[in-house]
Amino acid sequence: MSNELSRCQFLAGATAFALGSAVFGLPRRAFADDAQAGSAIVILHTNDVHCAVGEADEKGATPLGYSALASYVADRKGVFGDGNVTLVDAGDAVQGNVMGTLTQGQALVDIMNATGYDYVIPGNHEFDYGMPQFNHLVGSANATYLSCNFTDKRPEVPTLMFAPYAIQDYPLADGGNARVAFVGVTTPATLTASSPKSFWRSDDDHTCVYGFCEDDTGAALAAAVQNAVDQARAAGADYVVLLAHLGQDGSPDIWRSDALAKRCRGIDVIIDGHSHQEYVQVKQDAEGKNVIITQTGTQFSSVGQVVINPDSGTISASTPAFEATLLREARKSGDPAYVQEATFGRDASVQDAINKKVADVEAQTGTVIGKSEVDLYAFEDDDYTWAVRAHETNLGDFVCDAYLYYATNAGVMADIAFVNGGGVRANLNRGNVTKGDLINVNPFNNQLCYTSVSGQDLLDALELSASSLPESNGDFLQVSEGLEFVIRTDIDSPVLRSGSTFVGIDDAKERRVRRAKLHGKTIDPQAAYTLVCHSYYLVEGGGSYSMLCKNPVTLLGLDNDALMEYVQLNLRGVIGQEYAGAAGQGRIATQVGPDPDPDTDPDPKPKPEPEQPEPQPPANDVSDPKPLAPTGDDGALKAASAAVAAAAAVGAAAFATTHAETEDERA
């Protein structure tokens, strides 16, 4: 049995839920509304919104946003009934741009309260402002937080920070109720994918006092989820929906949502997040029964819909990928996905709340500090797929150069600067550059610092950075000027991990990173180099870069302050043509196949050419002929960086599930 439904299979399987036309990506009469009204359970879901609240962008397009979502929720409640529609979020809502940074996430919680979320789970970035602020945000939220694996390890017996699940009753047309359990789970990679400092006992005691059921095999996470599912079933749940911030591409294999589905039983739907992909998949659980896994991308590129129909015993899920369009952001008119906003409009009260928050931000960050002659890219041309997490980009070059020169301006003779691709969050477009624009590029307010590292540790860090390619990864390193190297992408990574934690390099395997040079000189494993980066890596060991935090650090300023100073002081207010070209300056190249052996002679050897007499100038030629320009390679690294990020997977599926297993389902 195929694990994912094709377009044709989807359309054939969706005939029971005939979809009407879509305007602004919204179905007018979705899922045979008239037939199902009063019976079906509708779950609308978002994930990885990352502060994309829905204000107009620089191109004049109005993204989807919370006000359009609120209007659609109201429409669904008008069709199915207030008690049959639930709105949920699968994490990473409060961090990602200047609005989150300036308010430490509070503005986003306020907007989500106005939108009317029912259940949410913490993603890894909910912890970025520290545990006290996280607790404050939870306390101010109207939605119920759930997690079956977020634990406080200080008691003798670790205790859960939130309820593992919640059961909601939905009224049916016959007067009965259907019971749906929502179970929450957050990736154990949060311990390194957010600020590790958030989970320490104190700055002086780096003991981790919180956990997410992490281990080397994924068994602890699966056991926590299975325990919560079993409890929910025992409490009378007819259906179980797992709200998961786990992801797939770029996530540790043992903690991926599809891997978890195979290890558990009793889950009907997994509403996923974390990897910023859009998909609807059909996978099998530990007993061979079908499970839907669905995710809606990032930054409100779409909203998903799950429909459970107890009358027919069917479950369906959709995202905007196919003709089962649910929600799609309004993009520029040349985009084939562009659709005019109509029909459902925007909820006025939610839009008013958004406008007030946006005005507050602009009042603080609207000052123009320079201009750019070029577009600098965090995304691929589709304005959706992360480029900066998969290959060198001109924006990555710019950010690292800014860090390096920020240290130089402070009198530090630094050699190299790094930034993780996941820390670069927005394109920087040509034209005026404001303070807010640069905060959006580096919205996390990371503390920059510098330290001494060995050449071997630098090489190990680059190896870890390259380990996930061709999959994109938020811990892929962009690098500063002068550093050049090649990544061989066709061999297995030699990086050894325990869960998401770096353990070392398998010396029996070939390294992916080769020909690493700094200003033309090969990096010496025994030499010491001065590295500039943020404290997330150099102090906290975030992203598993523990090899970079062996020595004391000296603090500098904030990362986005470095960008501002670089534009104003070093670039004299103009980001110029030196940063033209989306692929950057050729610092990071990729290679398929082994290096050529320069000592290997061709076999068989070519016959020598017969000697020719040396040409003589004409007797009357009194000119001074110029020597021919050399045609050989001077040995410098000239390979251009190749984009290796694959477009995010998308899909949609609808299928019937019953609790009676058939032979076909076992096949």
Side-chain angles (χ1 to χ4, degrees):
M1 181 176 180
S2 174
N3 284 341
E4 297 193 33
L5 298 187
S6 69
R7 182 185 183 93
C8 292
Q9 288 171 320
F10 171 81
L11 293 174
T15 54
F17 307 100
L19 293 174
S21 61
V23 183
F24 189 39
L26 296 168
R28 291 181 184 273
R29 305 297 296 172
F31 295 98
D33 294 341
D34 292 333
Q36 295 192 93
S39 298
I41 298 161
V42 177
I43 302 167
L44 303 177
H45 57 95
T46 56
N47 61 269
D48 298 281
V49 172
H50 285 296
C51 302
V53 296
E55 69 270 32
D57 65 19
E58 71 283 348
K59 298 177 182 178
T62 304
L64 179 60
Y66 287 108
S67 62
L69 173 60
S71 179
Y72 187 63
V73 171
D75 177 85
R76 300 296 83 192
K77 289 183 175 181
V79 173
F80 292 94
D82 286 350
N84 285 64
V85 178
T86 298
L87 179 60
V88 302
D89 183 79
D92 279 9
V94 303
Q95 175 62 285
N97 71 19
V98 62
M99 182 181 291
T101 300
L102 293 181
T103 68
Q104 292 198 304
Q106 187 61 59
L108 288 308
V109 172
D110 293 343
I111 293 171
M112 291 177 75
N113 284 344
T115 306
Y117 278 84
D118 298 291
Y119 300 106
V120 299
I121 63 169
N124 53 296
H125 287 298
E126 261 71 38
F127 299 97
D128 285 351
Y129 305 114
M131 194 61 67
Q133 180 64 9
F134 171 75
N135 290 332
H136 174 76
L137 295 177
V138 171
S140 64
N142 294 339
T144 299
Y145 275 76
L146 301 170
S147 180
C148 71
N149 71 314
F150 176 33
T151 61
D152 185 339
K153 299 193 290 187
R154 287 171 291 186
E156 185 173 335
V157 177
T159 58
L160 288 174
M161 297 293 291
F162 299 117
Y165 67 90
I167 294 180
Q168 184 160 327
D169 291 338
Y170 294 87
L172 301 179
D174 63 5
N177 288 316
R179 311 196 78 199
V180 177
F182 294 91
V183 178
V185 60
T186 299
T187 177
T190 296
L191 291 173
T192 55
S194 182
S195 173
K197 184 177 180 180
S198 297
F199 310 109
W200 292 349
R201 188 183 305 277
S202 67
D203 286 343
D204 298 325
D205 182 352
H206 295 183
T207 301
C208 186
V209 296
Y210 297 96
F212 293 88
C213 298
E214 62 280 357
D215 69 359
D216 295 342
T217 66
L221 180 69
V225 171
Q226 189 63 64
N227 184 52
V229 172
D230 290 345
Q231 290 181 24
R233 290 288 187 183
D238 300 305
Y239 302 91
V240 172
V241 175
L242 188 69
L243 302 182
H245 197 79
L246 296 175
Q248 294 185 11
D249 287 359
S251 299
D253 290 345
I254 57 175
W255 297 325
R256 289 169 54 119
S257 58
D258 49 358
L260 182 71
K262 294 177 182 178
R263 302 180 78 155
C264 295
R265 64 188 183 278
I267 300 170
D268 296 295
V269 179
I270 299 177
I271 292 174
D272 201 10
H274 188 50
S275 57
H276 296 189
Q277 297 169 274
E278 182 181 336
Y279 48 64
V280 178
Q281 304 168 339
V282 180
K283 302 294 183 180
Q284 281 71 50
D285 69 7
E287 296 178 337
K289 295 180 180 178
N290 286 335
V291 181
I292 288 181
I293 308 177
T294 181
Q295 187 180 173
T296 64
T298 184
Q299 293 188 322
F300 254 130
S301 58
S302 68
V303 168
Q305 178 166 275
V306 172
V307 176
I308 300 171
N309 192 329
D311 289 346
S312 62
T314 56
I315 301 174
S316 63
S318 66
T319 71
F322 297 101
E323 293 168 10
T325 301
L326 180 62
L327 296 173
R328 191 75 183 191
E329 66 178 284
R331 301 190 180 194
K332 56 185 181 295
S333 57
D335 189 323
Y338 178 83
V339 284
Q340 293 290 338
E341 180 178 353
T343 308
F344 296 100
R346 295 178 178 270
D347 182 279
S349 62
V350 175
Q351 190 62 49
D352 183 60
I354 292 171
N355 292 343
K356 289 178 180 178
K357 302 292 185 185
V358 171
D360 289 344
V361 168
E362 289 179 348
Q364 299 179 64
T365 62
T367 303
V368 175
I369 63 170
K371 67 177 182 179
S372 180
E373 296 178 345
V374 298
D375 292 321
L376 300 167
Y377 293 93
F379 296 95
E380 304 288 5
D381 288 341
D382 60 6
D383 289 330
Y384 176 79
T385 306
W386 288 108
V388 77
R389 300 182 181 209
H391 58 86
E392 179 186 350
T393 75
N394 57 354
L395 181 57
D397 291 354
F398 166 79
V399 171
C400 289
D401 292 350
Y403 291 1
L404 190 68
Y405 278 89
Y406 191 58
T408 301
N409 296 340
V412 180
M413 299 303 293
D415 298 300
I416 300 169
F418 288 158
V419 67
N420 57 315
V424 180
R425 308 296 290 200
N427 290 345
L428 189 62
N429 298 304
R430 71 181 68 196
N432 287 338
V433 175
T434 68
K435 179 179 179 181
D437 292 332
L438 295 177
I439 293 176
N440 280 335
V441 171
N442 273 175
F444 296 107
N445 275 352
N446 282 318
Q447 179 81 53
L448 290 183
C449 51
Y450 64 92
T451 190
S452 178
V453 297
S454 71
Q456 187 61 64
D457 286 333
L458 280 177
L459 294 172
D460 288 352
L462 295 178
E463 198 66 45
L464 177 61
S465 169
S467 63
S468 294
L469 295 178
E471 288 187 0
S472 65
N473 190 316
D475 290 306
F476 178 82
L477 295 176
Q478 301 285 326
V479 304
S480 57
E481 64 177 5
L483 180 59
E484 297 176 331
F485 57 94
V486 175
I487 301 172
R488 186 171 170 186
T489 59
D490 63 319
I491 58 175
D492 291 338
S493 170
V495 170
L496 300 173
R497 289 184 174 88
S498 174
S500 62
T501 302
F502 175 82
V503 173
I505 304 292
D506 185 349
D507 292 332
K509 291 184 176 181
E510 189 175 0
R511 286 182 177 244
R512 283 183 149 195
V513 174
R514 54 201 58 217
R515 302 201 296 280
K517 295 182 179 182
L518 182 62
H519 300 299
K521 295 182 179 180
T522 300
I523 290 179
D524 181 358
Q526 305 304 317
Y529 297 87
T530 300
L531 171 66
V532 181
C533 194
H534 40 58
S535 59
Y536 172 56
Y537 277 0
L538 302 190
V539 177
E540 303 172 43
S544 295
Y545 284 95
S546 56
M547 76 293 289
L548 300 180
C549 52
K550 295 178 178 178
N551 295 320
V553 305
T554 301
L555 299 180
L556 298 166
L558 298 180
D559 52 4
N560 42 51
D561 285 341
L563 306 187
M564 296 176 205
E565 182 173 300
Y566 183 56
V567 172
Q568 293 177 304
L569 181 62
N570 300 96
L571 300 182
R572 300 182 181 274
V574 179
I575 303 171
Q577 295 301 314
E578 67 269 30
Y579 291 108
Q585 298 175 1
R587 303 171 186 182
I588 306 172
T590 58
Q591 172 181 311
V592 175
D595 298 336
D597 186 347
D599 298 326
T600 302
D601 291 331
D603 188 20
K605 294 182 179 179
K607 295 180 180 180
E609 295 289 337
E611 289 188 8
Q612 300 291 335
E614 187 173 339
Q616 300 294 324
N620 296 329
D621 188 355
V622 295
S623 65
D624 182 18
K626 302 292 184 183
L628 295 176
T631 59
D633 190 346
D634 63 2
L637 179 64
K638 295 181 178 179
S641 297
V644 295
V650 295
F655 73 101
T657 60
T658 68
H659 296 292
E661 188 177 16
T662 68
E663 290 299 322
D664 287 341
E665 289 173 319
R666 296 191 186 98

